[in-house]
Amino acid sequence: MEDYTFKFKGKTYKLTDKWEETCINDSKAFQMQQFTYLNEVRDYLTMENRINNQIMLGYVEEIPYII
């Protein structure tokens, strides 16, 4: 089982299982590749927009920090 989590601006995010349920030609691995690329090229505005939209649609969830 792969870990589909990434960090952005000090927060940790996780891709939900909704990708496999609703997207025919998409996968979590592809989305992780996209987030990694955006981070590498420092396109933080696009990354922030994708995170916000995908949280709203249920494709990404923020993992709360536990002490």
Side-chain angles (χ1 to χ4, degrees), residues 2-6 15 19 25-43 46-47 50 54:
E2 281 193 57
D3 183 29
Y4 295 103
T5 61
F6 60 95
L15 298 179
W19 286 109
N25 292 323
D26 224 347
S27 67
K28 289 182 186 180
F30 177 77
Q31 290 303 315
M32 287 304 297
Q33 182 182 23
Q34 293 293 302
F35 282 118
T36 301
Y37 173 76
L38 289 171
N39 194 38
E40 286 174 2
V41 298
R42 299 179 179 184
D43 189 353
T46 300
M47 191 165 181
R50 286 191 185 183
Q54 290 180 14

Side-chain angles (χ1 to χ4, degrees), residues 21 56 67:
E21 294 173 6
M56 181 178 61
I67 297 175

Side-chain angles (χ1 to χ4, degrees), residues 6-65:
F6 60 95
K7 291 187 178 196
F8 181 67
K9 290 190 175 181
K11 295 181 181 179
T12 303
Y13 298 94
K14 175 184 170 186
L15 298 179
T16 66
D17 291 334
K18 193 170 181 180
W19 286 109
E20 277 74 24
E21 294 173 6
T22 58
C23 300
I24 296 170
N25 292 323
D26 224 347
S27 67
K28 289 182 186 180
F30 177 77
Q31 290 303 315
M32 287 304 297
Q33 182 182 23
Q34 293 293 302
F35 282 118
T36 301
Y37 173 76
L38 289 171
N39 194 38
E40 286 174 2
V41 298
R42 299 179 179 184
D43 189 353
Y44 302 126
L45 181 60
T46 300
M47 191 165 181
E48 187 170 12
N49 288 337
R50 286 191 185 183
I51 290 169
N52 289 335
N53 290 331
Q54 290 180 14
I55 286 174
M56 181 178 61
L57 297 172
Y59 291 102
V60 171
E61 61 186 22
E62 184 180 340
I63 299 175
Y65 179 73

